[in-house]
Structure formats: structure tokens, C-alpha cells
């Protein structure tokens, strides 16, 4: 299962842990993802999406229908 937000397309970033002695070791910054069910009244069905915390804020602001339409135009959702 990939750790990618289905609305914003956010994915894990990579960087370094830097110790006090400035030794660098690789690490990854994972996305804050959660599985969430949304009801789409136009299609009269439920959709389960893996979304980030940022995407939840966008959905609350614009509405699920508008956000899905934009994500389909970008090719993030089928």
C-alpha cells in the first residue's frame, strides 16, 4: 500500500537525521494519512479515500464533489 494522499498527491519526503556531532543518517518524513469515507450525494454512494490532514481541510472548505472533480482533472483519482 503506497503512502500517497489521493487528493493532494503528497508523498513521503527524505532527509537526514543530524546528531549533535553532525553525523547524518537517512530518514523519511511520512505523510499524515488516514482512511476516510465520504458520501457523494450527486452519485448517491460512499467513497473511501486515503487522505492527508491537509486534504481533509480542503474537503471541509470546498466540498467533496468539487475536490474530487479537481483530483480527477489532475489524474490523482480514477
Amino acid at each position: 500500500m503506497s503512502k500517497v494522499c489521493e487528493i493532494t498527491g503528497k508523498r513521503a519526503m527524505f532527509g537526514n537525521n543530524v546528531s549533535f556531532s553532525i553525523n547524518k543518517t537517512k530518514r523519511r518524513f511520512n505523510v499524515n494519512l488516514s482512511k476516510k469515507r465520504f458520501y457523494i450525494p450527486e452519485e448517491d454512494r460512499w467513497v473511501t479515500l486515503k487522505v492527508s490532514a491537509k486534504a481533509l481541510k480542503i474537503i471541509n472548505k470546498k466540498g467533496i464533489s468539487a475536490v474530487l472533480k479537481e483530483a480527477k482533472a489532475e489524474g490523482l483519482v480514477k
Side-chain angles (χ1 to χ4, degrees), residues 56-68:
L56 281 175
K57 290 174 75 173
I58 292 170
I59 290 168
N60 284 337
K61 183 177 179 181
K62 295 182 179 180
I64 185 67
S65 301
V67 172
L68 280 176

Side-chain angles (χ1 to χ4, degrees), residues 1-7 31-38 46-53 55-56 59:
M1 233 158 102
S2 64
K3 296 178 180 175
V4 179
C5 176
E6 295 178 343
I7 299 297
V31 185
N32 186 9
L33 288 179
S34 60
K35 253 186 171 176
K36 189 92 170 88
R37 285 178 72 212
F38 297 99
W46 289 89
V47 176
T48 302
L49 296 172
K50 226 184 323 177
V51 293
S52 62
L56 281 175
I59 290 168

Side-chain angles (χ1 to χ4, degrees), residues 9-65:
K10 285 187 171 198
R11 52 183 64 233
M13 292 174 52
F14 295 90
N16 289 313
N17 274 331
V18 181
S19 67
F20 181 74
S21 57
I22 315 174
N23 294 327
K24 296 182 175 81
T25 56
K26 283 303 217 185
R27 64 162 291 185
R28 61 188 283 158
F29 299 92
N30 288 321
V31 185
N32 186 9
L33 288 179
S34 60
K35 253 186 171 176
K36 189 92 170 88
R37 285 178 72 212
F38 297 99
Y39 180 72
I40 304 171
E42 289 85 23
E43 300 176 14
D44 192 36
R45 66 184 184 114
W46 289 89
V47 176
T48 302
L49 296 172
K50 226 184 323 177
V51 293
S52 62
K54 173 80 172 187
L56 281 175
K57 290 174 75 173
I58 292 170
I59 290 168
N60 284 337
K61 183 177 179 181
K62 295 182 179 180
I64 185 67
S65 301

